[in-house]
Amino acid sequence: MSAAEHTRPSAPPVIAGLLLAAGGGRRLGGRPKALLPYRGRPLVENAVRVLREAGCDPVHVVLGASAEEVRESADLSGCVVVDNPDWAEGMGSSLRVGLASLAGTGAGAALVSLVDQPGIGPAAVARVREAYRSPDSLVAASYDGERGHPVLFGAARWADIAATATGDQGARVHLRNHADEVILVECGDVAAAFDIDTPPDLARLA
């Protein structure tokens, strides 16, 4: 090996964006969250844009409720779009489907975001992404010290997360079991971590 080859920097890690957008909006009267209007376009498009502007590539999107309508209405070009037929079981099933779709992609980590948090923009997502250190990384945004989204899961953790992600728990079991390993990245100065869950929340999309 030549000196030049020996000193050549290694390729940057692949950090995939994983957008969970399968929810049926039960508390919104059954309006799928991915299709909620935001700045003239479906909300899912904003979430994809945020992941891309933060440097995530590839971007995988998990759909569920009204998946065909979402595909027809939203511009998801360039994304890997996967359907979760069991979306009604809760976020855990969508997380499992999304992580399975990343198998074999060579991604070192999945940066997981939720479609219904438009107050979280590229600046916060980029901070979490930049905290990646290895396939064992476990990173979460925090808001005034409280853990929130997005979260980053190194690839070495995917199998355990998938095994414990049930109902609406998502990755909470894994995060709780490995609380001392979670790197918290404060994002309260650049993002607002509200959810669009109920009709009064829709005012936040104006």
Coordinates of all heavy atoms in Angstrom, one line a residue, residues 41-125:
R41 N -48.9 21.6 0.1 CA -48.5 20.2 -0.4 C -48.8 19.3 0.8 O -48.9 19.6 1.9 CB -47.0 20.2 -0.8 CG -46.7 21.1 -2.0 CD -47.4 20.7 -3.2 NE -47.1 19.3 -3.6 CZ -47.8 18.6 -4.4 NH1 -48.9 19.1 -5.0 NH2 -47.5 17.3 -4.7
P42 N -48.8 17.9 0.4 CA -49.0 17.0 1.5 C -47.9 17.0 2.5 O -46.7 17.2 2.2 CB -49.0 15.6 0.7 CG -49.4 16.0 -0.6 CD -48.8 17.3 -0.9
L43 N -48.2 16.8 3.8 CA -47.2 17.0 4.9 C -46.0 16.0 4.7 O -44.9 16.4 5.1 CB -47.9 16.7 6.2 CG -47.1 16.9 7.5 CD1 -46.6 18.3 7.6 CD2 -48.0 16.5 8.7
V44 N -46.2 14.9 4.1 CA -45.1 13.9 3.9 C -44.0 14.5 3.1 O -42.8 14.2 3.3 CB -45.7 12.6 3.3 CG1 -46.2 12.8 1.9 CG2 -44.6 11.5 3.4
E45 N -44.3 15.4 2.1 CA -43.3 16.0 1.3 C -42.4 16.8 2.1 O -41.1 16.8 1.9 CB -43.9 16.8 0.2 CG -44.6 15.9 -0.9 CD -45.1 16.8 -2.1 OE1 -44.7 18.0 -2.1 OE2 -45.9 16.3 -2.9
N46 N -42.9 17.5 3.1 CA -42.1 18.4 4.0 C -41.1 17.5 4.7 O -39.9 17.8 4.9 CB -42.9 19.2 4.9 CG -42.1 19.9 5.9 OD1 -41.5 20.9 5.7 ND2 -42.2 19.4 7.2
A47 N -41.6 16.4 5.3 CA -40.7 15.5 6.1 C -39.6 14.9 5.3 O -38.5 14.8 5.7 CB -41.6 14.4 6.7
V48 N -39.9 14.6 4.0 CA -38.9 14.0 3.1 C -37.8 15.1 2.9 O -36.6 14.9 2.9 CB -39.5 13.5 1.8 CG1 -38.4 13.3 0.8 CG2 -40.3 12.2 2.1
R49 N -38.3 16.3 2.6 CA -37.4 17.4 2.3 C -36.4 17.7 3.5 O -35.2 17.9 3.3 CB -38.2 18.7 2.0 CG -37.3 20.0 1.8 CD -38.2 21.2 1.7 NE -38.9 21.4 3.0 CZ -38.4 22.0 4.1 NH1 -37.1 22.3 4.1 NH2 -39.1 22.2 5.1
V50 N -37.0 17.7 4.7 CA -36.2 17.9 5.9 C -35.0 16.9 6.0 O -33.9 17.2 6.2 CB -37.1 17.9 7.1 CG1 -36.2 17.8 8.4 CG2 -37.9 19.1 7.1
L51 N -35.4 15.6 5.8 CA -34.3 14.6 5.9 C -33.3 14.8 4.8 O -32.1 14.6 5.1 CB -35.0 13.2 5.7 CG -35.8 12.7 6.9 CD1 -36.6 11.4 6.5 CD2 -34.9 12.4 8.1
R52 N -33.7 15.1 3.6 CA -32.7 15.3 2.5 C -31.8 16.5 2.8 O -30.6 16.4 2.6 CB -33.4 15.4 1.2 CG -34.0 14.1 0.6 CD -34.5 14.3 -0.7 NE -34.9 13.1 -1.4 CZ -35.9 12.9 -2.1 NH1 -36.8 13.8 -2.3 NH2 -36.1 11.7 -2.6
E53 N -32.4 17.6 3.2 CA -31.6 18.8 3.4 C -30.6 18.6 4.6 O -29.6 19.3 4.7 CB -32.5 20.0 3.7 CG -33.3 20.4 2.4 CD -34.1 21.7 2.6 OE1 -34.0 22.3 3.7 OE2 -34.8 22.1 1.7
A54 N -31.0 17.7 5.5 CA -30.1 17.4 6.6 C -29.0 16.4 6.2 O -28.1 16.1 7.1 CB -30.9 16.8 7.8
G55 N -29.0 15.9 5.0 CA -27.9 15.1 4.5 C -28.1 13.6 4.6 O -27.2 12.8 4.4
C56 N -29.4 13.2 4.8 CA -29.7 11.8 4.8 C -29.9 11.2 3.4 O -30.6 11.8 2.6 CB -31.0 11.5 5.6 SG -30.8 11.9 7.4
D57 N -29.3 10.1 3.1 CA -29.4 9.5 1.8 C -28.9 8.1 1.9 O -27.8 7.8 2.4 CB -28.5 10.3 0.8 CG -28.6 9.8 -0.6 OD1 -29.7 9.3 -1.0 OD2 -27.6 9.8 -1.4
P58 N -29.8 7.1 1.5 CA -31.1 7.3 0.9 C -32.2 7.7 1.9 O -31.9 7.7 3.1 CB -31.4 5.9 0.4 CG -30.7 5.0 1.4 CD -29.4 5.7 1.7
V59 N -33.4 7.9 1.4 CA -34.6 8.2 2.3 C -35.6 7.1 2.0 O -36.1 7.0 0.9 CB -35.1 9.6 2.1 CG1 -36.4 9.8 2.8 CG2 -34.1 10.7 2.4
H60 N -36.0 6.4 3.1 CA -37.0 5.4 3.0 C -38.3 5.9 3.7 O -38.2 6.5 4.8 CB -36.6 4.1 3.6 CG -35.5 3.3 2.8 ND1 -35.5 1.9 2.8 CD2 -34.5 3.7 2.1 CE1 -34.5 1.5 2.0 NE2 -33.9 2.6 1.6
V61 N -39.4 5.7 3.1 CA -40.7 6.2 3.6 C -41.6 5.0 3.8 O -41.9 4.2 2.9 CB -41.3 7.2 2.7 CG1 -42.6 7.7 3.2 CG2 -40.4 8.4 2.4
V62 N -42.1 4.9 5.0 CA -43.1 3.8 5.3 C -44.5 4.4 5.3 O -44.8 5.3 6.1 CB -42.8 3.2 6.7 CG1 -43.8 2.0 7.0 CG2 -41.4 2.6 6.8
L63 N -45.3 3.8 4.4 CA -46.7 4.2 4.3 C -47.6 3.2 4.8 O -47.2 2.0 4.9 CB -47.1 4.5 2.8 CG -46.3 5.6 2.1 CD1 -46.8 5.7 0.7 CD2 -46.4 6.9 2.8
G64 N -48.8 3.6 5.2 CA -49.8 2.6 5.7 C -51.2 3.0 5.3 O -51.7 2.6 4.3
A65 N -51.8 3.9 6.2 CA -53.2 4.3 5.9 C -53.2 5.1 4.5 O -52.4 6.0 4.3 CB -53.6 5.3 7.0
S66 N -54.2 4.7 3.7 CA -54.4 5.4 2.4 C -53.1 5.4 1.6 O -52.8 6.4 0.9 CB -55.0 6.8 2.6 OG -56.2 6.7 3.3
A67 N -52.3 4.3 1.6 CA -51.0 4.3 1.0 C -51.1 4.7 -0.5 O -50.3 5.4 -1.0 CB -50.3 3.0 1.2
E68 N -52.1 4.1 -1.2 CA -52.2 4.4 -2.6 C -52.5 5.9 -2.9 O -51.9 6.5 -3.8 CB -53.3 3.5 -3.3 CG -52.8 2.1 -3.5 CD -51.5 2.0 -4.2 OE1 -51.4 2.6 -5.3 OE2 -50.6 1.3 -3.8
E69 N -53.3 6.4 -2.1 CA -53.7 7.9 -2.3 C -52.4 8.7 -2.0 O -52.2 9.7 -2.7 CB -54.8 8.3 -1.3 CG -55.3 9.7 -1.6 CD -56.4 10.1 -0.6 OE1 -57.0 9.2 0.1 OE2 -56.8 11.3 -0.7
V70 N -51.6 8.3 -1.0 CA -50.4 9.1 -0.7 C -49.5 9.0 -1.9 O -48.9 10.0 -2.3 CB -49.7 8.5 0.6 CG1 -48.4 9.3 0.8 CG2 -50.6 8.7 1.8
R71 N -49.3 7.8 -2.4 CA -48.4 7.6 -3.6 C -48.9 8.5 -4.8 O -48.0 9.1 -5.5 CB -48.4 6.2 -4.0 CG -47.6 5.2 -3.1 CD -47.8 3.8 -3.6 NE -47.2 2.8 -2.7 CZ -45.9 2.4 -2.8 NH1 -45.2 2.9 -3.7 NH2 -45.5 1.5 -1.9
E72 N -50.2 8.6 -5.0 CA -50.7 9.4 -6.1 C -50.7 10.9 -5.8 O -50.5 11.7 -6.8 CB -52.2 9.0 -6.3 CG -52.3 7.6 -6.8 CD -53.8 7.1 -6.9 OE1 -54.7 7.9 -6.5 OE2 -54.0 5.9 -7.2
S73 N -50.8 11.3 -4.6 CA -50.9 12.7 -4.3 C -49.6 13.4 -4.0 O -49.4 14.6 -4.2 CB -51.9 12.9 -3.1 OG -53.1 12.4 -3.4
A74 N -48.6 12.7 -3.4 CA -47.4 13.3 -2.9 C -46.2 12.9 -3.9 O -46.2 11.8 -4.4 CB -47.1 12.8 -1.5
D75 N -45.3 13.9 -4.0 CA -44.1 13.6 -4.8 C -43.1 13.0 -3.9 O -42.4 13.6 -3.1 CB -43.6 15.0 -5.3 CG -42.3 14.8 -6.2 OD1 -41.9 13.6 -6.4 OD2 -41.8 15.8 -6.6
L76 N -42.9 11.7 -4.1 CA -41.9 10.9 -3.3 C -40.8 10.4 -4.2 O -40.2 9.4 -3.9 CB -42.6 9.8 -2.5 CG -43.7 10.2 -1.5 CD1 -44.4 9.0 -0.9 CD2 -43.2 11.1 -0.5
S77 N -40.6 11.1 -5.3 CA -39.6 10.6 -6.2 C -38.2 10.6 -5.6 O -37.9 11.5 -4.8 CB -39.6 11.6 -7.4 OG -39.4 12.9 -7.1
G78 N -37.5 9.6 -5.9 CA -36.1 9.5 -5.3 C -36.1 8.7 -3.9 O -35.1 8.4 -3.4
C79 N -37.3 8.5 -3.4 CA -37.4 7.8 -2.1 C -37.7 6.3 -2.3 O -38.2 5.9 -3.4 CB -38.6 8.3 -1.3 SG -38.5 10.0 -0.8
V80 N -37.3 5.5 -1.4 CA -37.7 4.1 -1.4 C -39.0 4.1 -0.5 O -38.9 4.4 0.6 CB -36.6 3.2 -0.8 CG1 -37.1 1.8 -0.7 CG2 -35.3 3.2 -1.6
V81 N -40.1 3.7 -1.2 CA -41.4 3.8 -0.5 C -41.8 2.3 -0.2 O -41.9 1.5 -1.1 CB -42.4 4.5 -1.3 CG1 -43.8 4.5 -0.6 CG2 -42.0 5.9 -1.7
V82 N -42.1 2.0 1.0 CA -42.5 0.7 1.4 C -43.8 0.8 2.2 O -44.1 1.7 2.9 CB -41.4 0.0 2.3 CG1 -40.2 -0.3 1.5 CG2 -41.1 0.8 3.5
D83 N -44.7 -0.2 2.0 CA -46.0 -0.3 2.6 C -45.9 -1.1 3.9 O -45.3 -2.2 3.9 CB -47.0 -0.8 1.6 CG -47.3 0.1 0.5 OD1 -47.1 1.3 0.7 OD2 -47.7 -0.4 -0.6
N84 N -46.6 -0.7 4.9 CA -46.8 -1.5 6.1 C -48.3 -1.9 6.1 O -49.1 -1.2 6.6 CB -46.4 -0.7 7.3 CG -46.8 -1.4 8.6 OD1 -46.9 -2.6 8.6 ND2 -46.9 -0.7 9.7
P85 N -48.5 -3.2 5.8 CA -49.9 -3.6 5.8 C -50.5 -3.7 7.2 O -51.7 -3.7 7.4 CB -49.9 -5.0 5.1 CG -48.4 -5.5 5.4 CD -47.6 -4.2 5.3
D86 N -49.6 -3.7 8.2 CA -50.1 -3.8 9.6 C -50.0 -2.5 10.3 O -49.8 -2.4 11.5 CB -49.2 -4.9 10.3 CG -49.3 -6.2 9.7 OD1 -50.4 -6.7 9.3 OD2 -48.2 -6.9 9.6
W87 N -50.1 -1.4 9.6 CA -49.9 -0.1 10.2 C -50.8 0.2 11.4 O -50.4 0.9 12.3 CB -50.1 1.0 9.1 CG -51.5 1.1 8.5 CD1 -51.9 0.4 7.4 CD2 -52.6 1.8 9.1 NE1 -53.3 0.7 7.2 CE2 -53.7 1.6 8.2 CE3 -52.8 2.6 10.1 CZ2 -55.0 2.1 8.4 CZ3 -54.0 3.2 10.4 CH2 -55.1 2.9 9.5
A88 N -52.0 -0.4 11.3 CA -53.0 -0.1 12.4 C -52.5 -0.7 13.8 O -53.0 -0.3 14.8 CB -54.3 -0.7 12.1
E89 N -51.5 -1.6 13.7 CA -51.0 -2.1 15.0 C -50.2 -1.1 15.8 O -49.9 -1.3 17.0 CB -50.1 -3.3 14.7 CG -50.9 -4.5 14.1 CD -50.0 -5.7 13.9 OE1 -48.8 -5.6 14.2 OE2 -50.5 -6.7 13.3
G90 N -49.7 0.0 15.1 CA -49.0 1.0 15.8 C -47.6 1.3 15.2 O -47.2 0.6 14.2
M91 N -46.9 2.2 15.8 CA -45.6 2.7 15.2 C -44.6 1.6 15.2 O -43.7 1.5 14.3 CB -45.1 3.8 16.1 CG -43.9 4.5 15.5 SD -43.1 5.6 16.7 CE -44.5 6.7 17.0
G92 N -44.7 0.6 16.1 CA -43.7 -0.4 16.2 C -43.6 -1.2 14.9 O -42.5 -1.6 14.4
S93 N -44.8 -1.5 14.3 CA -44.8 -2.3 13.1 C -44.2 -1.5 11.9 O -43.5 -2.1 11.1 CB -46.2 -2.7 12.7 OG -47.0 -1.6 12.5
S94 N -44.4 -0.2 11.9 CA -43.8 0.6 10.8 C -42.3 0.7 11.0 O -41.6 0.7 10.0 CB -44.4 2.0 10.8 OG -45.8 2.0 10.4
L95 N -41.8 0.8 12.2 CA -40.4 0.8 12.5 C -39.7 -0.5 12.0 O -38.7 -0.5 11.4 CB -40.1 1.0 13.9 CG -38.7 1.2 14.4 CD1 -37.9 2.3 13.6 CD2 -38.6 1.5 15.9
R96 N -40.4 -1.6 12.3 CA -39.9 -2.9 11.9 C -39.8 -3.0 10.3 O -38.8 -3.4 9.8 CB -40.7 -4.1 12.4 CG -40.7 -4.3 13.9 CD -41.2 -5.6 14.3 NE -42.6 -5.9 13.8 CZ -43.7 -5.5 14.5 NH1 -43.6 -4.9 15.7 NH2 -44.9 -5.8 14.0
V97 N -40.9 -2.6 9.7 CA -40.9 -2.6 8.2 C -39.8 -1.7 7.6 O -39.1 -2.1 6.7 CB -42.3 -2.2 7.7 CG1 -42.2 -1.9 6.2 CG2 -43.3 -3.3 8.0
G98 N -39.6 -0.5 8.2 CA -38.6 0.4 7.7 C -37.2 -0.1 7.9 O -36.4 0.0 7.0
L99 N -36.9 -0.6 9.1 CA -35.6 -1.2 9.3 C -35.3 -2.4 8.4 O -34.2 -2.5 7.8 CB -35.4 -1.6 10.7 CG -35.4 -0.4 11.8 CD1 -35.3 -1.0 13.2 CD2 -34.2 0.5 11.5
A100 N -36.3 -3.2 8.1 CA -36.1 -4.3 7.2 C -35.8 -3.8 5.8 O -35.0 -4.5 5.1 CB -37.4 -5.2 7.2
S101 N -36.4 -2.7 5.4 CA -36.2 -2.2 4.1 C -34.8 -1.7 3.9 O -34.3 -1.6 2.8 CB -37.2 -1.1 3.7 OG -36.9 0.1 4.4
L102 N -34.1 -1.4 5.0 CA -32.7 -0.9 4.9 C -31.7 -2.0 4.9 O -30.5 -1.7 4.7 CB -32.5 0.1 6.1 CG -33.2 1.4 6.0 CD1 -33.1 2.2 7.4 CD2 -32.6 2.3 4.9
A103 N -32.1 -3.2 5.2 CA -31.1 -4.3 5.3 C -30.5 -4.5 3.9 O -31.2 -4.4 2.9 CB -31.9 -5.6 5.6
G104 N -29.2 -4.6 3.9 CA -28.5 -4.8 2.6 C -28.1 -3.5 1.9 O -27.5 -3.5 0.8
T105 N -28.5 -2.3 2.4 CA -28.2 -1.1 1.8 C -26.8 -0.5 2.1 O -26.4 0.4 1.4 CB -29.2 0.0 2.2 OG1 -29.1 0.3 3.6 CG2 -30.7 -0.4 1.9
G106 N -26.2 -1.1 3.1 CA -24.9 -0.6 3.5 C -25.0 0.6 4.4 O -23.9 1.2 4.8
A107 N -26.1 1.0 4.8 CA -26.3 2.1 5.7 C -25.7 1.8 7.1 O -25.9 0.7 7.6 CB -27.7 2.5 5.9
G108 N -25.0 2.8 7.6 CA -24.4 2.6 9.0 C -25.4 2.9 10.1 O -25.2 2.5 11.2
A109 N -26.4 3.6 9.7 CA -27.4 4.0 10.7 C -28.7 4.4 10.0 O -28.7 4.8 8.8 CB -26.9 5.2 11.6
A110 N -29.8 4.4 10.8 CA -31.1 4.9 10.3 C -31.4 6.1 11.2 O -31.4 6.0 12.4 CB -32.1 3.8 10.4
L111 N -31.7 7.2 10.6 CA -32.2 8.4 11.3 C -33.7 8.4 11.1 O -34.2 8.6 10.0 CB -31.5 9.7 10.8 CG -31.7 10.9 11.7 CD1 -30.5 11.8 11.4 CD2 -33.0 11.6 11.5
V112 N -34.4 8.2 12.2 CA -35.9 8.0 12.2 C -36.6 9.3 12.5 O -36.3 9.9 13.6 CB -36.3 6.8 13.1 CG1 -37.8 6.6 13.1 CG2 -35.5 5.5 12.8
S113 N -37.5 9.7 11.7 CA -38.3 10.8 11.9 C -39.8 10.5 11.7 O -40.1 9.5 11.1 CB -37.9 12.0 11.0 OG -38.2 11.8 9.7
L114 N -40.6 11.4 12.3 CA -42.1 11.1 12.2 C -42.7 12.2 11.3 O -42.3 13.4 11.3 CB -42.7 11.2 13.6 CG -42.1 10.3 14.7 CD1 -42.8 10.5 16.0 CD2 -42.1 8.9 14.3
V115 N -43.7 11.8 10.5 CA -44.3 12.7 9.5 C -45.0 13.8 10.2 O -45.2 14.9 9.5 CB -45.2 11.9 8.6 CG1 -46.5 11.5 9.3 CG2 -45.5 12.7 7.3
D116 N -45.5 13.7 11.4 CA -46.4 14.7 12.0 C -45.7 15.7 12.9 O -46.3 16.3 13.8 CB -47.5 14.0 12.7 CG -47.1 13.3 14.0 OD1 -45.8 13.0 14.1 OD2 -47.9 12.9 14.8
Q117 N -44.4 16.0 12.6 CA -43.6 16.9 13.5 C -43.0 18.0 12.6 O -41.8 18.1 12.5 CB -42.6 16.2 14.3 CG -43.2 15.3 15.4 CD -42.1 14.7 16.3 OE1 -41.0 14.3 15.9 NE2 -42.5 14.7 17.6
P118 N -43.8 18.8 11.9 CA -43.3 19.8 11.0 C -42.4 20.9 11.7 O -41.8 21.7 11.0 CB -44.5 20.4 10.4 CG -45.6 20.2 11.4 CD -45.3 18.9 12.0
G119 N -42.5 21.0 13.0 CA -41.7 22.0 13.7 C -40.2 21.6 13.8 O -39.4 22.4 14.3
I120 N -39.9 20.4 13.4 CA -38.5 19.9 13.4 C -37.9 20.0 12.0 O -38.4 19.3 11.1 CB -38.4 18.4 13.9 CG1 -39.0 18.4 15.4 CG2 -37.0 17.9 13.9 CD1 -39.0 17.0 15.9
G121 N -37.0 20.9 11.8 CA -36.4 21.1 10.5 C -35.1 20.5 10.3 O -34.5 19.8 11.1
P122 N -34.4 20.9 9.2 CA -33.1 20.3 8.8 C -32.0 20.6 9.9 O -31.1 19.7 10.1 CB -32.8 21.0 7.5 CG -34.1 21.4 6.9 CD -34.9 21.7 8.1
A123 N -32.1 21.7 10.6 CA -31.0 22.0 11.5 C -31.0 21.0 12.6 O -29.9 20.5 13.0 CB -31.2 23.4 12.1
A124 N -32.1 20.6 13.2 CA -32.1 19.7 14.3 C -31.8 18.3 13.8 O -31.0 17.5 14.4 CB -33.5 19.6 14.9
V125 N -32.3 17.9 12.6 CA -32.0 16.6 12.1 C -30.5 16.5 11.8 O -29.9 15.4 12.1 CB -32.8 16.3 10.8 CG1 -32.4 15.0 10.2 CG2 -34.3 16.3 11.1

